[in-house]
Amino acid sequence: MGSHAGNGYFGFGPYRLNPAARVLRRGDDLLAIGSRAFDILAALVQNHGRVLSHGELMAFAWPGLHVETSNIRVQMTHLRREIGCGENGNRYIVSVAGRGYSFVAPVIWEEASEPEDRYASLSCHQACCNGSDGATTTSFPPRLSHPIGRDESISKLSQMVAERRFVTVVGAGGVGKTTLAILVAHALHMFDHACFVDLGMIDDQTAVLGAVASALEIPFSASDAIGDIIGQLSPRSTLVILDNCEHVIDAVAEIVGPLLRRTASAHILATSREAFRLPGEAVYLLRPLGVPAHPGRLTAAQALLWPAIQLFVERAVDSGYLESLGDEEAATIAAICRRLDGNPLAIELVASRMGPYGLDRVAELLDNQLSLRWRGSRYANPRHQTAEAMMDWSYALLSDMDQRVFRQLSVFPGEFSVDAALAVMEDDDFEQADIIKSIGNLIDKSLLSLHPGMGPGHLKLSGIAKTYAAFKLLASGKRALIDQRQSLYHDQVPQECSASMVGSWDTGQAIQLQAS
């Protein structure tokens, strides 16, 4: 192993690693990856270019303990995800068949001008003992900047988590579920320990237990993993955040029950695009940011009172947009935010193009496929880097029947009734009961929303979901047929369909669907 003084760091890519202070930074941001993953990374970096065996890595991460080799694989998967190994062509750690792992990226050593903050990576237990003002662990995400328009959500969810042992934050993709959960965990002071489990990169139901064990930093035992986890949680008051559960929801449900039954003071805060529907679950529905109902009547000052418009303007300025905000521009921005249904991620992605495109062009391209592929933060989770990736994630979790119904509902420009939905699908060998079931599934999975209206309840696809579904329908080759059925229904029931046409653009603009 290379020998270096403690007051310095190894640099690779955008990262700086100080093994002595146990600190990893990406640029100026402190990364919390967990003590086991940190030990493995430090060993690999300090021995860059050399292959380290499973045994050598276990000796670094679990000194004096005998653990199963599967623990190395679990930690390596977690570590590679945290440092973006394999993303955008970046190669840091490679697996050498039959031998072990090697760090292959260029590494430099630099002396630090001043000592690194050794207390930045304290475990939750140490932080609490030293008077920390919130729960944190070495694997827990750092405190985030305060999001616009979420004060009430933070307050209400904090109260729910304090009073109930199992709470699920449910909402559409990009609405801010993860951010809210992290903020609540930092705001609460009642827990001795907090654990964050990111399930977003796990594609196998059987890997959920291993991910939870890894986040708790305990060796994974296939024989009694749930017992080991319960044993770790039982002695103290713990908040476990299970993030991005929707694609492994059955496996997570099998863990939640035993954890609640066999521990006395563990609380679970889950985030998902659908509820678990388990006994004892309290659901917090996270709504989009507030948008004005009639954007064409707003002054600029009035528009900036709305959280969605505040967020849009902030991100537009960040993108280099320096034009003044008058009443006319405010009305257009309000219409865009309403078209995006106040979804924070969608707003950020669209507003990030204000600098290079300008307001008029952004509005013009909003329903173009190009807008689905506008990229956001390069450090964002891959499924949150574009609106298309966000929707791909949800779409892939649907059954074939639900996907077909989802696509065909995109022909409605605004709200529509169940009867109207049945009419455009009646000739596809669908049973009415199956269509209604799929509509219910889409509501449960936060892709379709119920809107109050005159007469029967009306449904609506959100802006991004509708644009995405429309292009999926176009690709399926059935767009013209479904349009024809919708027109026929419009002729038969003109009053209802006239009402359903309201809502695409409150300013009266109609944006042409374009394939690009």
Side-chain angles (χ1 to χ4, degrees), residues 5-20:
N7 188 25
Y9 58 86
F10 294 95
F12 57 94
Y15 300 93
R16 292 183 300 162
L17 173 74
N18 187 326

Side-chain angles (χ1 to χ4, degrees), residues 415-417 449-459 499-500:
E415 296 180 5
F416 56 91
S417 68
S449 57
L450 279 166
H451 282 242
M454 297 298 293
H458 279 67
L459 306 162
S500 78

Side-chain angles (χ1 to χ4, degrees), residues 326-337:
D327 293 350
E328 185 178 345
E329 290 80 14
T332 303
I333 290 174
I336 291 174
C337 291

Side-chain angles (χ1 to χ4, degrees), residues 215-226:
L216 288 168
E217 300 181 356
I218 59 176
F220 177 70
S221 171
S223 58
D224 189 21
I226 191 67

Side-chain angles (χ1 to χ4, degrees), residues 157 160-161 164-170 268-270 278-285:
L157 183 59
M160 288 179 67
V161 173
R164 303 290 295 269
R165 293 190 60 205
F166 178 32
V167 180
T168 306
V169 181
V170 175
I268 297 172
L269 174 57
L278 289 175
E281 177 186 24
V283 174
Y284 182 81
L285 295 176

Side-chain angles (χ1 to χ4, degrees), residues 291-292 295 303-304 308-313 316 321 324-340 347 354 359 363 505 507:
V291 294
L304 287 172
I309 297 175
Q310 291 176 32
L311 177 62
F312 188 100
V313 172
Y321 183 76
S324 60
L325 181 67
D327 293 350
E328 185 178 345
E329 290 80 14
T332 303
I333 290 174
I336 291 174
C337 291
R338 183 166 174 78
R339 176 69 181 85
L340 298 173
I347 289 172
M354 286 284 287
L359 178 57
W505 279 92
T507 56

